[in-house]
Amino acid sequence: MASQSSQGSKLSSQEQSALISDIVLYILSQDHTKYPIKRQDIVKNVLKTHGRHYKHIMNEAAHVLTEIFGMKLVEIEHSSNMKQYILVNNEQFLRDVSDLKWPEEVEAQQVLLMLLLSLIFMSGGVVKEEVMSSFLTRLGIMNGRKSHEYFGDVWKLLTVEFVRQMYVEYVRIPESNPPKYEFRWGHRAKGEVSRRELLNFVSLVYGCDPKNWVTQYQEVLQAESEKEKKREEDGK
Amino acid sequence: MAAVEADEEEATAGPCPKDMELAVSIINKVIKGLNMEIRCAQDEITPAKYYLLVNTVDSHISRTFSKFSAAELEFFKTVLSEIVTSEDGCISSTACLNLNSSLPGNMTKSDTEALLEKFCKYQWLYQKDGKVHLTILSIVELEPLILSAYEDYVNICRLCKRIVMQGYRCDRCLALLHLHCVHLYTKGVDRIHSCPVCSADQPEMLAAVKNIPFHSGDDNRIPSASSRENKTGKGSARK
């Protein structure tokens, strides 16, 4: 089934299309886990001997992902050699998706994420782990290290799974002894989550106008204008 | 790959079925190069209509990087085989759990049970009343495989020409037909008692489809991008 690869440095347009479509499929299926996709895995599993065409083919694949699937391929700088990517919703479709059905455990995770990202956002971008822990305990979501009926192993989700999925960062406070940790928003949250939606949600809970939260509202506006700028740049 | 109920699109005010058909056919033109297609099909039991995003090619990408390991896929193949070759298009959950013994590797009963639930979670199979069935997503996506590998066992509904696992069976000619196809067929009032295939008297046929919640005001055609589909969908039996 594999076409004969040409000896020269050029790929036939058929080979190119096949590789582009393989990469698109690979990225779409891998992104399902929400773990970042490593460049080296793409080369190893999809491009194989055609590694030298990486840049060109990735550009085309990114284009397909944006134009056809409305998803943006975002590069995450890990260490200098290890490039990683995540797929982020390009937010061109603002339609209500509340009737989409997800498996129960995914829904539970979305709720949990919403809560902790809100806490971090409203607290100025950083939250110490004790604060997070007591917040979730007060809500009845955490009870020591016991597994919750609906949410599961909450602390493990926060410190391992969500970190791996790049929704949060769980980093050690420098110079802390004994080591203490804090939570921040991760790259995926920054790309995927609407700060405006979060602020609206929190305002709803407190029964007030979002504009009352002056600092946070400023951040919402700033994030939106940055996204607008970025979108205009990409469109060129 | 993924299934969405057609209802949800039709229920909200706005696009009508025609717009949906057009949108689907435009999308299909574009994703054809990616070996994907949106197909519309009706569940055999519920009988909700679905839009299904399927792979048209069994590429190494979809196999190697699927959510399931090679051993798990082997198990699925065994279950698929049992269901397709069964008499009534499903197998009991207990029989399914026993299938692990015919496979290499060490799968315990509880592993198998967990795996079965995983298949249900991702909508490859569903369980109801102690029986395991193929979902409409599996039937549609695996259609080419089922047609070629199980040629001697698979039933084709003579009214719509597609695979049928569960439905109404004529007691004279033994033809198996989709309940929703029979439902459409019986709308022609002079035919409610005769088998669409052999014309045998079938007094139970109408009763079999009477209590099922079909949609009213249906566009009788099931939208499809594939040209081989029976476009009239009126369910007239070919002689």
Side-chain angles (χ1 to χ4, degrees), chain A residues 53-86:
Chain A
H53 300 283
Y54 183 82
K55 192 153 182 227
H56 171 68
I57 300 212
M58 276 306 275
N59 276 342
E60 295 294 312
H63 185 77
V64 170
L65 286 164
T66 307
E67 293 303 311
I68 298 181
F69 294 94
M71 304 289 272
K72 213 161 67 157
L73 194 63
V74 174
E75 201 178 290
I76 309 281
E77 275 301 323
H78 204 97
S79 44
S80 50
N81 289 330
M82 263 227 302
K83 264 201 207 155
Q84 294 185 333
Y85 300 93
I86 56 172

Side-chain angles (χ1 to χ4, degrees), chain A residues 1 20-22 24-26 28-30 32 45-46 48 64 68-69 95 99-101 103 105-106, chain B residues 1 4-5 8-9 12 30-31 33-36 53 55 57-62 65-67 121-122:
Chain A
M1 199 181 92
I20 292 168
S21 110
D22 276 352
V24 167
L25 270 178
Y26 179 76
L28 283 175
S29 68
Q30 291 299 96
H32 196 90
N45 296 319
V46 188
K48 301 191 190 167
V64 170
I68 298 181
F69 294 94
R95 214 182 136 205
D99 29 48
L100 279 186
K101 294 184 182 72
E105 99 194 339
V106 173
Chain B
M1 283 175 75
V4 172
E5 262 199 70
E8 291 167 8
E9 295 299 332
T12 56
V30 172
I31 61 178
L34 296 165
N35 299 322
M36 293 190 219
L53 179 63
N55 287 314
V57 167
D58 184 21
S59 76
H60 77 285
I61 299 281
S62 46
F65 304 107
S66 118
K67 305 174 203 29
K121 177 178 168 191
Y122 290 106

Side-chain angles (χ1 to χ4, degrees), chain A residues 36-57:
Chain A
I37 304 166
K38 298 198 185 99
R39 172 192 162 138
Q40 62 200 43
D41 284 341
I42 296 180
V43 176
K44 184 174 85 168
N45 296 319
V46 188
L47 287 178
K48 301 191 190 167
T49 56
H50 303 292
R52 62 187 175 283
H53 300 283
Y54 183 82
K55 192 153 182 227
H56 171 68
I57 300 212

Side-chain angles (χ1 to χ4, degrees), chain B:
Chain B
M1 283 175 75
V4 172
E5 262 199 70
D7 251 7
E8 291 167 8
E9 295 299 332
E10 289 162 14
T12 56
C16 67
K18 281 254 177 278
D19 294 337
M20 201 55 208
E21 234 182 276
L22 184 61
V24 167
S25 100
I26 293 175
I27 294 174
N28 278 336
K29 282 204 188 82
V30 172
I31 61 178
K32 188 166 182 205
L34 296 165
N35 299 322
M36 293 190 219
E37 194 182 354
I38 296 178
R39 295 194 194 148
C40 193
Q42 203 160 2
D43 187 283
E44 294 179 331
I45 308 295
T46 46
K49 283 193 187 159
Y50 286 90
Y51 288 106
L52 308 153
L53 179 63
V54 300
N55 287 314
T56 53
V57 167
D58 184 21
S59 76
H60 77 285
I61 299 281
S62 46
R63 256 181 291 124
T64 328
F65 304 107
S66 118
K67 305 174 203 29
F68 298 98
S69 71
E72 292 176 335
L73 291 176
E74 273 306 306
F75 178 75
F76 181 77
K77 264 205 215 144
T78 315
V79 174
L80 175 72
S81 188
E82 291 295 309
I83 292 179
V84 175
T85 56
S86 75
E87 259 203 42
D88 42 349
C90 57
I91 56 175
S92 75
S93 304
T94 21
C96 197
L97 291 178
N98 288 328
L99 287 173
N100 65 336
S101 49
S102 63
L103 290 172
N106 300 321
M107 272 180 77
T108 67
K109 278 275 181 351
S110 62
D111 285 340
T112 317
E113 208 170 332
L115 182 56
L116 207 53
E117 279 185 28
K118 190 176 168 186
F119 282 123
C120 290
K121 177 178 168 191
Y122 290 106
Q123 301 190 293
W124 289 39
L125 299 169
Y126 75 93
Q127 291 190 81
K128 192 174 175 203
D129 301 333
K131 299 268 187 177
V132 177
H133 310 249
L134 285 175
T135 56
I136 185 66
L137 180 60
S138 291
I139 295 174
V140 171
E141 191 155 12
L142 301 172
E143 194 176 40
L145 168 73
I146 295 175
L147 287 175
S148 63
Y150 301 101
E151 214 180 316
D152 299 327
Y153 295 96
V154 73
N155 290 297
I156 305 288
C157 172
R158 293 278 287 274
L159 291 174
C160 68
K161 310 288 187 289
R162 295 171 84 161
I163 293 179
V164 54
M165 295 276 165
Q166 294 167 277
Y168 178 81
R169 198 186 281 278
C170 168
D171 55 20
R172 211 226 281 147
C173 67
L174 303 181
L176 188 62
L177 303 160
H178 289 119
L179 293 173
H180 49 261
C181 292
V182 171
H183 172 74
L184 277 180
Y185 179 79
T186 57
K187 282 191 174 169
V189 133
D190 55 340
R191 307 186 277 194
I192 54 179
H193 290 306
S194 46
C195 167
V197 179
C198 70
S199 307
D201 193 31
Q202 296 289 293
E204 310 297 306
M205 200 169 72
L206 190 60
V209 298
K210 214 166 57 141
N211 294 324
I212 299 171
F214 295 105
H215 308 270
S216 52
D218 254 343
D219 180 323
N220 285 350
R221 285 170 304 139
I222 294 180
S224 163
S226 167
S227 56
R228 65 174 172 76
E229 296 295 325
N230 177 5
K231 283 260 156 70
T232 62
K234 287 219 168 75
S236 52
R238 294 266 181 85
K239 294 263 172 355

